[in-house]
């Protein structure tokens, strides 16, 4: 016996809309079973992971900070995914954006550069991430190399480059040999939003990216080109849309937004260069993009949900002695459940008896 997936002639719009919610519920049930097998109470874990952070003002502010890079990166990824392209290397583009923007902050350290520095750092972060994203795009359009492999491999190149910088040329000589740069001066730090302690203006960048993308994808010819290219590549070619040009553009946009997220995280949250500036935002953002159904407003909501798991995972480490790796596994489980739910909405599974099998 084997399982075949038969396309549904008319998938239910209601089922398609509820699929992400159903996927979340299933993921929570599976995670609860795993927690029970580890000898902990699933009810207590749910309270620590979800309910306590939602009732704590400090945790809510921290959730906004965590959601900012997830939303920015996921919005960028939505351009690629809608066009049928797989940018798996947003983590590396995030890192390279952080490096490019930090280079300006460190080069002007102690020189009182003035108000131009912060916008220049953000622009440098966008350029750095876009340049890193352009590499797999160029290799695909020029040589036909899989963008999945090249974008993923470039993540490790970027991470090792950051590690070398933090331990070598950029290491603080007065930092007692710790692998970190000097603390950025105030001119190189993203300011906090008034009235929201610890929440920097990078949150505003994420909201602006959501609004602009909603307009671009929903009301412009470029948005229609992405949808047509992803859904019907042959029709897109007949319509005169250049697939190579589309590939380059969406990877530049995706890399640029990931790079902006990288420098916003370094400048707004960390305040210095470290060997590791990301807990895996670039990979988690893939889950955010699909949980949000590649819709900008859905991504906004999904980013907040996944940010909540980061905060809850940190609480569970302290209160329940659960490993933080469980949070990472849960985020991967959410992606698996979302993809499965989407498949079941679009296809109907059927058992098929293989030829030669016994009756």
């Amino acid at each position: 016996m084997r399982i075949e997936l038969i396309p549904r002639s008319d998938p239910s719009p209601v089922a398609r809309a509820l699929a992400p919610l159903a996927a979340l519920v299933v993921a929570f049930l599976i995670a609860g079973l795993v927690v029970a097998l580890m000898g902990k109470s699933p009810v207590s874990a749910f309270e620590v992971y979800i309910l306590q952070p939602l009732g704590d003002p400090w945790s809510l502010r921290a959730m906004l900070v965590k959601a900012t890079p997830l939303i920015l990166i996921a919005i960028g990824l939505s351009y690629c995914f809608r066009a049928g392209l797989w940018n798996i290397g947003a983590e590396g583009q995030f890192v390279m954006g952080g490096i490019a923007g930090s280079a300006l902050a460190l080069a002007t350290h102690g020189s009182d550069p003035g108000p131009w520095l912060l916008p220049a750092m953000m622009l440098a972060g966008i350029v750095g991430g876009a340049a890193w994203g352009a590499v797999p795009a160029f290799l695909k359009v020029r040589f036909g190399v899989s963008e999945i492999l090249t974008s993923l491999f470039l993540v490790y190149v970027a991470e090792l480059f950051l590690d070398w910088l933090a331990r070598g040329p950029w290491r603080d000589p007065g930092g007692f040999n710790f692998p970190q740069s000097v603390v950025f001066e105030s001119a190189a730090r993203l300011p906090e939003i008034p009235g929201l302690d610890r929440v920097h203006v990078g949150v505003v960048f994420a909201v602006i990216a959501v609004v602009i993308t909603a307009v671009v994808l929903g009301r412009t010819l470029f948005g229609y080109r992405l949808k047509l290219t992803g859904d019907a590549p042959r029709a897109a070619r007949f319509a005169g849309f250049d697939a190579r040009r589309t590939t380059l553009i969406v990877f530049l946009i995706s890399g640029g937004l990931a790079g902006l997220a990288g420098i916003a995280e370094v400048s707004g949250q960390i305040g210095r260069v470290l060997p590791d500036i990301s807990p895996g935002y670039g990979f988690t953002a893939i889950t955010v993009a699909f949980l949000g159904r590649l819709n900008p407003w859905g991504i906004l909501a999904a980013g907040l949900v996944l940010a909540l798991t980061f905060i809850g995972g940190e609480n569970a480490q302290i209160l329940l002695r659960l490993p933080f790796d469980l949070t990472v596994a849960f985020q991967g489980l959410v992606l698996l459940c979302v993809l499965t739910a989407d498949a079941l909405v679009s296809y109907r599974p059927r058992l098929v008896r293989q030829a030669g099998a016994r009756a």
Side-chain angles (χ1 to χ4, degrees), residues 87-266:
N87 180 10
I88 310 299
E91 181 82 355
Q93 294 145 27
F94 175 93
V95 169
M96 292 304 294
I99 290 174
S102 298
L104 275 179
L106 296 176
T108 58
H109 187 78
S111 63
D112 190 21
W116 64 267
L117 177 60
L118 203 54
M121 287 172 57
M122 299 301 110
L123 181 60
I126 293 172
V127 172
W132 210 244
V135 176
F138 171 77
L139 293 175
K140 180 175 181 63
V141 301
R142 182 66 178 84
F143 303 106
V145 181
S146 169
E147 75 277 14
I148 298 175
L149 296 177
T150 52
S151 61
L152 179 60
F153 291 162
L154 284 171
V155 171
Y156 304 103
V157 177
E159 289 178 340
L160 290 172
F161 183 47
L162 172 64
D163 186 81
W164 173 74
L165 288 172
R167 299 177 188 276
W170 288 358
R171 184 166 59 184
D172 181 7
F176 302 99
N177 211 34
F178 285 102
Q180 60 190 24
S181 73
V182 296
V183 177
F184 291 177
E185 295 180 331
S186 58
R189 298 292 304 273
L190 281 177
E192 294 181 351
I193 297 176
L196 293 176
D197 184 35
R198 295 183 66 252
V199 181
H200 56 76
V201 297
V203 173
V204 179
F205 299 161
V207 174
I208 292 174
V210 168
V211 173
I212 292 176
T213 300
V215 174
V216 169
L217 297 181
R219 298 182 178 272
T220 67
L221 178 61
F222 179 70
Y224 174 72
R225 177 199 301 182
L226 296 188
K227 179 176 176 56
L228 186 62
T229 302
D231 294 344
R234 291 187 61 189
R237 288 195 297 272
F238 283 124
F241 296 146
D242 187 344
R244 294 186 175 187
R245 182 183 177 189
T246 300
T247 299
L248 289 171
I249 291 175
V250 295
F251 265 90
L252 287 173
I253 294 173
S254 183
L257 286 174
L260 176 61
I263 187 55
E265 180 72 7
V266 175

Side-chain angles (χ1 to χ4, degrees), residues 284-322:
T284 305
I286 299 174
T287 303
V288 172
F290 281 105
L291 183 60
R293 308 303 297 272
L294 305 183
N295 180 284
W297 303 109
I299 287 173
L300 178 63
L304 293 171
V305 171
L306 268 295
L308 181 63
T309 66
F310 277 112
I311 305 301
E314 293 171 357
N315 290 345
Q317 274 187 295
I318 299 171
L319 299 177
L320 298 179
R321 299 294 189 269
L322 289 173

